[in-house]
Amino acid sequence: MTSGSPHQRSSAREAALARAVKDGLLGPQVPLVGLLDVDGVLAAVEALNEAFEGPAVVQHTFAVKACGLVPVLRLLAEAGMGCEVASPGELEQALAAGFTYDRLVFDSPAKTVEELEFALAHGIAINLDNFQEMARVDGLLTGREASGPIGLRVNPQVGAGAIGAMSTATATSKFGVALRDAGAVEAVIEAFARRPWLNRLHAHVGSQGCPLPLIAHGVRAAYELAERINTELGRAQITGLDIGGGLPVNFDSEDDRPTYADYVAELRAAAPGLFDGRYALITEFGRSLLAKSGTIGSIVEYTKSAGGRRIAVTHAGAQVATRTVFMPDAWPLRVGVFDAAGRPKQGPTEVVDIAGPCCFAGDLTATGRELPAVEPGDVVALYDTGAYYFSSHFSYNSLPRSAVYGYQTDSGGQVAFALVREAQSVRGVVEESGLSQVDALVALRSGNAVEQPKEMAE
């Protein structure tokens, strides 16, 4: 059974939850788990590739920030994806997963000299964020040729979507060169004229909450600037356009909307020449490739009432669903209720809040939802959590990271699991919190300084 359609994905998820309970991956002793539908992920990659078929050379890269788990990255590498990284940690995760240097794109607004040198030395594609960073590269390239593509990120300043924090093309965005600021376009053209090694433009409008016409408007601005630069310089200096990612995800239902095909249709209408083959295209999708294939399962520990409202206390809260808890209107999640055997619950419904384990009142993953009656020992499932929720752990209350498993279902509904990340032990939490330096501050206060680790001393 593949998970290419919403119905197939839903059926596979139910089978995986039931099997996870049966196998003890989720239960009273293991009250929290992440599950990732491998077939669903691969179906999303296939849909992305199909949407962009045509004369243009396209390199699709996965934005590691959406799920920096090495086995997941390895799966995407084997599926032919490239990888977009925005920190040294993400870079090392991508390399550990098997991505070669020529399949990497390094984005970050705060690259250090050492990071730039590493990327330049290994031919990793770089998107520069500003003119000061460009000046650094001038110095690093003195006396040698660039060994990989180098682009400049521009901010088309086309406005914000519904979620301001996810919109990167506002008038005052921290990213890229703001094109509508006085003299900016002329400065960009001059920068390309003086640097033959600059051969890409990069623009990214935003992600969740950004409608397709807004995204297409930003891409068109970058395309038109590339056309102008190449025309004024009299040469095809810009050979690649990195158009970012940002396809919004539908968190309201099982349906995949908008689709990659919808996105490409919007781009073709806004900038037809984008796809004629003169420019290599680079994409950086993340959330849209994984979100629908992920589920967080949690045991219901207690149920109670307060002010006439039913509350189910689970083990999934702000530590795994940080954005949902702190911005519930922007990041709502669908919720499913299953019995202690992992079977979907039926019967009369009740209005209930789904609470997490964190010690603050706002730790709610869903509020006022009409769901089948929830009881202690039931399983609550948070859907569409394949991106960010597994890998962006919030260490509030020193809660440990849960295990994550990938799964596949066969034509008979049988489920096979593969461990993606082991559950963090409580001991591991303590060790991360400075256990090996337990006496450091006491010794400092008493005048008996503890020897610093070698790397700190240096």
Side-chain angles (χ1 to χ4, degrees), residues 43-329:
V45 173
E46 183 178 356
L48 174 60
N49 287 326
E50 289 179 353
F52 277 83
E53 284 181 349
V57 174
V58 184
Q59 181 188 39
H60 295 298
T61 69
F62 174 71
V64 177
K65 65 181 73 68
C67 190
L69 300 178
V70 173
V72 175
L73 300 180
R74 178 67 170 175
L75 176 70
L76 294 169
E78 288 294 306
M81 295 286 294
C83 209
E84 183 266 334
V85 301
S87 73
E90 290 182 357
L91 173 60
E92 289 302 320
Q93 288 168 334
L95 293 174
F99 288 98
T100 52
Y101 296 121
D102 61 332
R103 294 167 66 188
L104 300 179
V105 176
F106 189 20
D107 291 327
S108 167
K111 305 180 200 72
T112 66
V113 170
E114 290 77 14
E115 291 162 15
L116 287 168
E117 178 59 47
F118 184 89
L120 291 169
H122 292 87
I124 297 171
I126 307 171
N127 285 318
L128 306 178
D129 182 78
N130 54 70
F131 292 118
Q132 291 178 0
E133 186 177 15
M134 192 182 300
R136 280 188 175 180
V137 174
D138 281 335
L140 293 172
L141 284 178
T142 300
R144 61 170 166 161
E145 297 285 332
S147 57
I150 303 178
L152 175 65
R153 180 167 186 168
V154 295
N155 172 10
Q157 293 176 294
V158 294
I163 307 174
M166 295 292 103
S167 302
T168 56
T170 59
T172 58
S173 171
K174 74 175 187 178
F175 292 103
V177 176
L179 291 182
R180 296 186 182 181
D181 284 11
V185 169
E186 291 74 16
V188 168
I189 296 173
E190 175 64 18
F192 275 84
R194 293 174 53 196
R195 297 169 177 86
W197 47 262
L198 268 179
N199 53 23
R200 284 183 178 178
L201 276 179
H202 172 42
H204 178 61
V205 170
S207 53
Q208 195 64 22
C210 291
L212 296 187
L214 182 68
I215 297 174
H217 190 187
V219 172
R220 181 179 66 192
Y223 166 75
E224 291 176 346
L225 179 57
E227 293 281 89
R228 178 176 171 181
I229 290 172
N230 285 348
T231 298
E232 291 197 16
L233 299 187
R235 59 180 183 267
Q237 180 164 327
I238 297 178
T239 57
L241 291 173
D242 187 330
I243 61 175
L247 186 73
V249 170
N250 164 36
F251 288 102
D252 295 329
S253 72
E254 197 72 54
D255 295 334
D256 296 299
R257 55 178 171 81
T259 65
Y260 292 115
D262 295 332
Y263 173 77
V264 170
E266 196 75 40
L267 290 181
R268 288 187 184 279
L274 187 69
F275 296 91
D276 65 12
R278 289 179 298 121
Y279 297 101
L281 302 180
I282 302 91
T283 71
E284 300 175 357
F285 292 102
R287 180 181 296 106
S288 58
L289 286 166
L290 293 189
K292 286 291 184 184
S293 295
T295 304
I296 292 173
S298 174
I299 297 297
V300 176
E301 199 67 43
Y302 302 107
T303 58
K304 57 190 292 187
S305 294
R309 176 67 59 81
R310 295 287 293 165
I311 301 171
V313 180
T314 76
H315 293 268
Q319 86 279 25
V320 291
T322 313
R323 284 176 172 170
T324 295
V325 168
F326 288 110
M327 300 179 65
D329 293 335

